[in-house]
Each structure stands twice: as C-alpha cells, then as structure tokens.
Amino acid sequence: MASKAFLEEDLFCPVCYNIYKDPVLLTCTHSICNTCLQKFWETKGSRECLVCRTSCSKEEYPLNLVLKNLCETFQQERSQREPFCSLHHSELKLFCEDDKQLVCLECRDSKLHKNHNFSPISEAALERQEELKIKLQHLQKKLNHFKQVKTTSDGTAQHIKVQTQHTERQIKEEFEKLHQFLQDEEAARLAALREEEEQKSQLMKKKIEKMSSEISSLSDTIRAIEEEMGADDITFLQVGPITVERAQCTLQDPERVSGPLINVAKHLGNLKFRVWEKMQEIVKYTPVTLDPNTVNPRLILSEDLTSVRLSVERQQLPDNPERFDVHACVLGSEGFNSGTHCCDVEVGYSDIWFLGLMTESSQRKGESVSSGVWCVVHTNGAYAAESPSLPDIPLTVKQTPQRIRVQLDWDRGKLSLSDPDNNTHLHTFTHTFTERVFPFFATISSLRILPVKAAVTVEQLS
C-alpha cells in the first residue's frame, strides 16, 4: 500500500498538484507539466527548475512519455474506483449545498467553500431523489397526457376517414338523384317533342292524302275533257252539255294548314331555366344545418343534417374541442356576426328542449355551457328564458307550440322566439353581440329544422 501511495504522489505535478499533463523531463531529472513550466519561466523571466532551481539551458525539453503513459493509466483506473477529489486527491465524502458539488474534507475547510453548507453524500442523494420523484411524477403525468392525446388523435384520424367515406357516399347519392331527375326530365321533353311530331305528321299526312285524291280526280276530269274535245264535231256537240257540266269544278281551293311546324321555341326556349325552375320540386333549402363536429355523442343527426334525436347508446365520436361532451347539445354549422337570420324548428311533443344562440368562445366541455347561451327552455310543460347575465325568466305559454321560430337581428342585438302557428310571442333577448354566434339546440327526444320554399325569380332590367 505504501509503494502504491508513493507511486500516486509521483504522478502529481509539484506545481499545479494535479496529475501530470504533457510532462517534460528536465536536465535535473525532475518532471513538470509543460504548461506549468512555460508559465513559470514567463513570470520569473529566467529558465530554471521549479523544484531544485537548477538552471535550464534549453528552451524546450523532451516529453516524458513513460510518465505520461503512467498518468493516463492511473486516471483510467481511478475513474473505475470510488471518486476522488481532483484538488486534494482525497475521498469525496460531503456535498456542498451552495455549489452543488461533491467535496472532500479538505475542500470543506478550504477558502473555496468557506461558510458553505454541507450534507453527507447519502442525505444529499436521498433529498435529490425525493425531488426527482416529484418531477418524475409530473413527467409521468405529462407522458400519460401525451398518450391520451395521441390515442384521441389516432381516433380522430380514423374518424376523418369514416367521415370522408360517409360524406362521399351521400354526395354521390344526392348527385344520383339530380342525375335521375335530369334524365327523367330529358326523357319527358323528348317524349313531348315526339308526340308533337306524331300529331303534326298525321295531320299533314291526312292533308296530303286528301289533296292527292283531289289531284287525281281533277287529272281524270281534265283527261276526259281533252279526249272529248279531240273527237269529231258531231260527237263533240252531242256530248257537249255533259262536257261543259263536267268542266264546272266544285272543289274548293286547298287551304294552308296553320302552325304545321314543330314549336321549337316551346321545347328549347329557356330550357335550362325551365328545368331549373322545375327542380324546385325536389330541391329543399334549410336555413340552418346542424354541425356534426359539435354534436354530443348521445345525439344522432339525420343524413341531411336537419334533424336530431336522442340515441339509445352513446356513439363513438372524437372528443374534439368543438364537441359537447356532457350535455345533449348541437350547434348550427354556420355562425353569424351580422345581418338578420330566421329558422323554424319543429319541437313537436318533446318534453325537454333548448333553442337559442351560443357565442363562438363559449365553453362546450363539462357542466358549464350556459355562460354564453341565450335560449328559451321547455322542461315538462314549463317555459323559461335563460341568458348569461340575468336570472331565469319564467314564461307563460297558453298553448303548447309545435313549432318555434327563432329570429336574430345581430346588428340591433335582438333574439326573438315565437310560435308561428298561433302567432304568439314567447320572448325577446336584447344584447350587444361582440362576436360570432351560432344557433344552439338541445333535446332529450328530437328536433327538426323545417325547410323553406325555394323560389327561382327573374329580375327585369330597368
């Protein structure tokens, strides 16, 4: 052990007290770090050994390769053993709380750590492990949150594909209906054209046949008269009275048929407009369509997004930020920040329904969704008006409405609800709207937004 200790001390530079780094061998056989030697010579102004003060005649001395290799080997071995203080070569036993580093007993007593707080290594390690446990718990929560969001995102990505396929199928079905309508309309118009052609062709055929008969009769008469005129005088005079009588034509002159041609203008005039006009029979316009990305999973929307009903089972839908997750609500797909808007909602005999408006920034998650909602509420025969800033107002309704008309004048800050069948006003909210608002619907049975009649109009130039 003594030889090993002596060997370790011989591996430390007598100037910097650190393990030799690039040691050079002087003429006096002492070894010193090359950097330490050069600094000393620059400061001293003369060249001599830092240990024995022997004069050094050379400017550069050779590298002590043996010592350099021994130092490198020692460093590798020491790194595999217990850590030691690089300054005092002593075992590290304390942790400096101020400098956050391991120190030995000599470091504790040195000026570098004067008035510092120290802890045993085991205590310091335990304390930091507790701190890391708390941070690790936070990281674990964050990891779990990321996993949950990723799971939600995976579900959303899959739902996007389902939505695309479903919407594509609906688009094709709707266009197939339009195609069928156009095909039926084309066939009907071609049939009308053929029918007119048949009628007018038959008329002309009869007219032609009659004239052909009359032409044949006249031709025969003319030919008989000409033959009689070619006979001898006695014969001609004998049949003369008959010939003269035959020459008296009683046939009326042929009349031209009025309107014999195809009424092309009737078939081609404004053809596209007439077809478009007739298309109103199959085309419906609903002033509000429901947004499937906001509907609560307990509600089911119709294919055309105009009605909603309560589902027996909760649907598997992505929990996107726009979706209601607690209350059975859904919003209109289009928001309004200006103008006037109106729609009629068929409530029927629904026990519970909410109709009104909701601001774009309102909370849609959890229990609190009424902070930005103005609506009339029907709950088991009782009616009330609810708004964000005022207490609920009970409403007196004499006759149960089957339809509710919702009218918004955004610019004037008015929202009115009424019964259009009985011409009864229910309630009018007044509020200065400052952001976009969306039609708001909630029910535990069913609601349907009624279509309005679409009209094709022609505007005359003034």
Side-chain angles (χ1 to χ4, degrees), residues 300-449:
I300 296 179
L301 299 185
S302 61
E303 293 285 333
D304 60 358
L305 307 179
T306 61
S307 65
V308 59
R309 62 180 175 84
L310 192 68
S311 173
V312 177
E313 297 181 356
R314 188 180 180 89
Q315 300 178 86
Q316 295 297 322
L317 298 175
D319 187 22
N320 49 300
E322 301 83 5
R323 191 178 306 284
F324 292 95
D325 61 346
V326 174
H327 296 287
C329 307
V330 64
L331 296 182
S333 60
E334 182 181 0
F336 310 116
N337 58 6
S338 64
T340 58
H341 310 275
C342 178
C343 73
D344 287 351
V345 183
E346 185 180 67
V347 295
Y349 295 98
S350 174
D351 294 330
I352 297 177
W353 50 258
F354 296 67
L355 297 179
L357 295 176
M358 185 178 196
T359 57
E360 187 171 23
S361 62
S362 294
Q363 177 68 29
R364 303 180 190 179
K365 303 296 184 183
E367 295 289 342
S368 300
V369 297
S370 60
S371 59
V373 175
W374 293 262
C375 65
V376 167
V377 181
H378 171 249
T379 53
N380 299 318
Y383 296 83
E386 295 184 359
S387 60
S389 57
L390 297 174
D392 295 354
I393 302 174
L395 302 178
T396 302
V397 179
K398 295 182 179 180
Q399 189 170 353
T400 302
Q402 300 296 302
R403 291 191 299 158
I404 300 295
R405 178 163 294 168
V406 183
Q407 293 177 293
L408 168 67
D409 189 335
W410 194 96
D411 301 314
R412 296 176 61 190
K414 287 188 176 183
L415 171 64
S416 298
L417 290 94
S418 60
D419 178 355
D421 295 325
N422 300 311
N423 196 25
T424 303
H425 174 258
L426 298 179
H427 188 74
T428 295
F429 298 93
T430 56
H431 177 78
T432 302
F433 299 109
T434 58
E435 61 175 304
R436 189 183 302 274
V437 293
F438 288 82
F440 174 81
F441 309 90
T443 183
I444 62 166
S445 54
S446 64
L447 296 173
R448 184 169 72 98
I449 301 167

Side-chain angles (χ1 to χ4, degrees), residues 2-157:
S3 61
K4 182 177 181 182
F6 174 76
L7 175 62
E8 289 183 0
E9 291 182 0
D10 286 347
L11 299 180
F12 289 86
C13 174
V15 179
C16 64
Y17 301 106
N18 291 323
I19 297 177
Y20 281 113
K21 181 178 291 186
D22 297 329
V24 293
L25 183 62
L26 303 179
T27 307
C28 59
T29 70
H30 288 122
S31 293
I32 301 173
C33 292
N34 186 37
T35 303
C36 295
L37 181 64
Q38 296 299 328
K39 286 183 179 179
F40 177 77
W41 283 357
E42 290 176 3
T43 304
K44 182 80 173 172
S46 60
R47 295 193 293 273
E48 61 181 32
C49 176
L50 282 73
V51 180
C52 63
R53 303 301 179 182
T54 300
S55 178
C56 300
S57 58
K58 299 180 181 179
E59 293 185 2
E60 295 183 1
Y61 285 87
L63 189 65
N64 190 340
L65 291 176
V66 175
L67 182 59
K68 182 176 184 296
N69 292 334
L70 286 173
C71 290
E72 291 177 351
T73 302
F74 174 72
Q75 283 182 320
Q76 292 177 356
E77 291 178 352
R78 193 173 71 165
S79 64
Q80 299 174 358
R81 304 197 308 265
E82 293 294 328
F84 279 80
C85 176
S86 61
L87 294 177
H88 306 105
H89 322 302
S90 300
E91 185 178 355
L92 298 173
K93 292 187 175 182
L94 300 172
F95 182 78
C96 178
E97 300 288 353
D98 297 87
D99 293 334
K100 307 298 180 186
Q101 65 180 29
L102 293 168
V103 296
C104 66
L105 297 178
E106 292 182 55
C107 289
R108 178 191 62 184
D109 301 329
S110 67
K111 293 181 179 181
L112 289 174
H113 298 277
K114 187 176 182 181
N115 298 325
H116 285 188
N117 296 315
F118 299 91
S119 300
I121 290 178
S122 59
E123 290 184 8
L126 181 61
E127 182 179 350
R128 274 144 190 81
Q129 285 176 355
E130 294 299 326
E131 293 176 357
L132 282 175
K133 284 182 180 179
I134 296 174
K135 293 182 178 179
L136 189 61
Q137 290 175 354
H138 175 70
L139 290 175
Q140 188 64 47
K141 289 181 180 178
K142 187 173 286 292
L143 175 61
N144 293 337
H145 179 65
F146 269 92
K147 288 182 178 180
Q148 290 175 357
V149 174
K150 182 182 180 299
T151 300
T152 302
S153 299
D154 291 340
T156 301

